[in-house]
Amino acid sequence: MEKRGTGPRGEHNREEFLALVTKAAEGLVRHEGLRGLGMRRLASTIGYAPNSIYNAVGDLDAVVMRVNARTLERLHAMLTAAVAPEASPRTNALAVADAYLAFVGADPQVWSLVFEHQLAPDSAFPDWYAQALARTTDLVDRVLQPMIPDADERRQAVATLWASLHGLASLSTSRKLAVLTPESPRDLARLLVGRFLGSVEVGPARPGPARSD
């Protein structure tokens, strides 16, 4: 028999309760940002006592990491959908950049939590979070592999492009990009990736899938 009783009413097993807490926390962040996420507020939203969250999920840092892991999984799905096996490596790299910006633009508050939240200096990321991050960066690594065969150089390229696109997306979602340039973030991202890979490939972007909540 499946063990139940994670919550005070015994309505969920642990995985169901984790999903309930994560989606509720994500909803609070989506509408109010990190400042809207507190343990009492979250407990009230799902109709459980705060101790139920502490016992099943952990403290607020653990809740945020659950939200961030889900965000990375959603991002991974969107980037995967953007890659076409029949397309050239450079076309796929540009499509991944397009999809990344589209993902950020559709859900900026939740996406920003991945970078805003900081663990205590003596804390480490749990394995399940590291795996969610690795799946996404590994996808970008595979896209770049035909153009950058050296593994160490490719690892640096993934980090460089990720950080650069993050900066571009941050300026765009905070509406500060217009202070620097009238160009769209997509045009700048494609210029960045194209120049980084040796040439610019232009053309319409393939539409990405709708955001999944």
Side-chain angles (χ1 to χ4, degrees), residues 3-162:
K3 186 177 180 181
R4 318 274 308 173
T6 295
R9 298 188 298 276
E11 295 175 352
H12 304 279
N13 63 31
R14 184 172 185 274
E15 290 305 314
E16 291 169 345
F17 193 70
L18 282 173
L20 177 69
V21 170
T22 301
K23 290 200 73 173
E26 181 183 284
L28 290 173
V29 172
R30 180 170 290 123
H31 292 100
E32 302 180 39
L34 181 58
R35 68 181 182 279
L37 182 60
M39 194 63 83
R40 290 185 180 277
R41 178 82 181 282
L42 178 58
S44 176
T45 299
I46 64 173
Y48 279 89
N51 280 346
S52 298
I53 302 175
Y54 282 112
N55 292 335
V57 184
D59 59 13
L60 196 59
D61 279 339
V63 171
V64 170
M65 282 192 289
R66 289 286 176 182
V67 175
N68 287 344
R70 174 173 150 82
T71 301
L72 290 169
E73 289 165 359
R74 290 168 50 229
L75 176 61
H76 176 267
M78 191 163 183
L79 298 185
T80 299
V83 176
E86 72 281 2
S88 70
R90 184 167 285 107
T91 296
N92 277 331
L94 292 168
V96 164
D98 288 342
Y100 181 83
L101 288 181
F103 181 87
V104 174
D107 210 4
Q109 292 272 48
V110 174
W111 168 82
S112 66
L113 189 65
V114 175
F115 300 95
E116 287 181 7
H117 177 252
Q118 293 184 344
L119 288 175
D122 57 345
S123 299
F125 289 119
D127 290 343
W128 49 262
Y129 182 86
Q131 290 168 5
L133 178 59
R135 286 186 71 212
T136 307
T137 56
D138 286 351
L139 183 150
V140 180
D141 184 277
R142 290 194 299 273
V143 169
L144 297 182
Q145 185 173 10
M147 296 171 287
I148 308 176
D150 182 80
D152 286 338
E153 183 182 355
R154 192 167 64 252
R155 175 184 53 80
Q156 294 174 347
V158 171
T160 299
L161 288 174
W162 190 286

